[in-house]
Structures are given as structure tokens and as C-alpha cells.
Amino acid sequence: MQEIVRHALDARRYAYAPYSGYAVGACLLGGNGRLYTGCNIENASYGLTLCAERVAVAKMVSDGCQEILEVAVATPDAAAPCGMCLQTLAEFAIELNHVLVHCSDASGLARSMALHELLPHAFCSEKVRQNRRGSGESE
Ligand code: THU
């Protein structure tokens, strides 16, 4: 089993999911060659819940790394990341069609897809920059 997948599966053990019972683990390979894990962290005020992928992104960025090369997610049913997490991953992906997202369940890897397949027509920072240049707006 790939190391990144093993780390995502392992991170599920730390999930705090008393409300849904749905434990998620995530692992990112940063552009610095390091692996960053995360798990979901729920809250009695449900909307405050943090998804595993976004916890991993926060760890990576706060460690000084702003590039994602590869992603692994482990859930009970090998689900793909939710829309909010896909958008967050896209912000730091080196290139959407180069970043693979590996989806696993307890028995291991089920499928791998490019981030581009999961989030086609992504809204990315380049669009914001282009618009700012085009309109001549400045801060
Ligand atoms: N969850 C994640 O951690 N990542 C996702 O991409 C989708 C959902 C979590 C949030 C919540 O704790 C539980 O899974 C059920 O929605």
C-alpha cells in the first residue's frame, strides 16, 4: 500500500466524530516532500465541523508549505472529498490535472482520480488575478 494512503487510513483513528460516526482521515504530500495528515473534528454546533482534508491543509500551510502534490482520503465508504474541501485543495494544488486524489475505505485503496476530474471548471486564484488586472482595480 502507498505510504500516503496508509497515513490517511491511520489518521482516521484520531477522528472526533461523535455526531455522525463517520470517521475521515486525510493525508497530503506537500511540495516540500513532507506528508501532512488530518482528521475530521466535529462540534456540538454542527456547522463548526472541520473536514479532515481542510485540517491537513491548515497543518501544511501553517508549516510553511503552499503546494499540494498528491492527496489521500480514507472514509468508511471510499468517498471523494466534499465540494468545500475540493475547493480548498484546488487553492494549493500544483496543477489540478497533476494532483491525484486517492480514495480508500478500511480495506484499502478503492479509486484514484485527478483533482481536475472531481472539480472541473474550478474557480481558481488565476481567475481573480486576471479580473483584477483586466479591470484595473487595485486595493
Ligand atoms: N467530512 C470530511 O471530513 N471530509 C469530507 O470531504 C466530507 C465530510 C466529515 C465531516 C463530518 O464530520 C463527517 O465527515 C460527516 O459529514
Side-chain angles (χ1 to χ4, degrees):
M1 186 185 295
Q2 258 183 287
E3 199 186 357
I4 190 170
V5 172
R6 196 159 42 75
H7 275 81
L9 278 163
D10 195 51
R12 275 192 81 208
R13 292 194 293 134
Y14 304 113
Y16 177 72
Y19 306 105
S20 72
Y22 191 90
V24 183
C27 185
L28 311 175
L29 173 62
N32 59 2
R34 294 195 187 159
L35 293 173
Y36 295 94
T37 59
C39 61
N40 52 335
I41 305 172
E42 297 186 345
N43 192 284
S45 178
Y46 292 177
L48 300 184
T49 291
L50 300 171
C51 287
E53 299 89 325
R54 285 178 295 123
V55 169
V57 169
K59 284 168 74 175
M60 185 193 81
V61 174
S62 60
D63 192 43
C65 178
Q66 298 188 351
E67 273 185 353
I68 297 172
L69 303 181
E70 203 172 349
V71 179
V73 183
T75 69
D77 51 0
C82 74
M84 191 185 275
C85 287
L86 290 173
Q87 180 68 31
T88 306
L89 294 166
E91 182 74 21
F92 298 103
I94 35 146
E95 259 218 55
L96 296 191
N97 47 357
H98 290 164
V99 172
L100 281 179
V101 180
H102 307 292
C103 303
S104 303
D105 59 21
S107 59
L109 181 63
R111 59 202 166 128
S112 299
M113 288 160 286
L115 192 47
H116 172 73
E117 292 176 80
L118 293 166
L119 192 65
H121 311 290
F123 185 82
C124 53
S125 58
E126 188 52 32
K127 294 192 197 305
V128 183
R129 287 200 202 99
Q130 265 165 13
N131 180 266
R132 280 173 55 102
R133 276 199 297 272
S135 67
E137 281 173 13
S138 59
E139 274 178 337

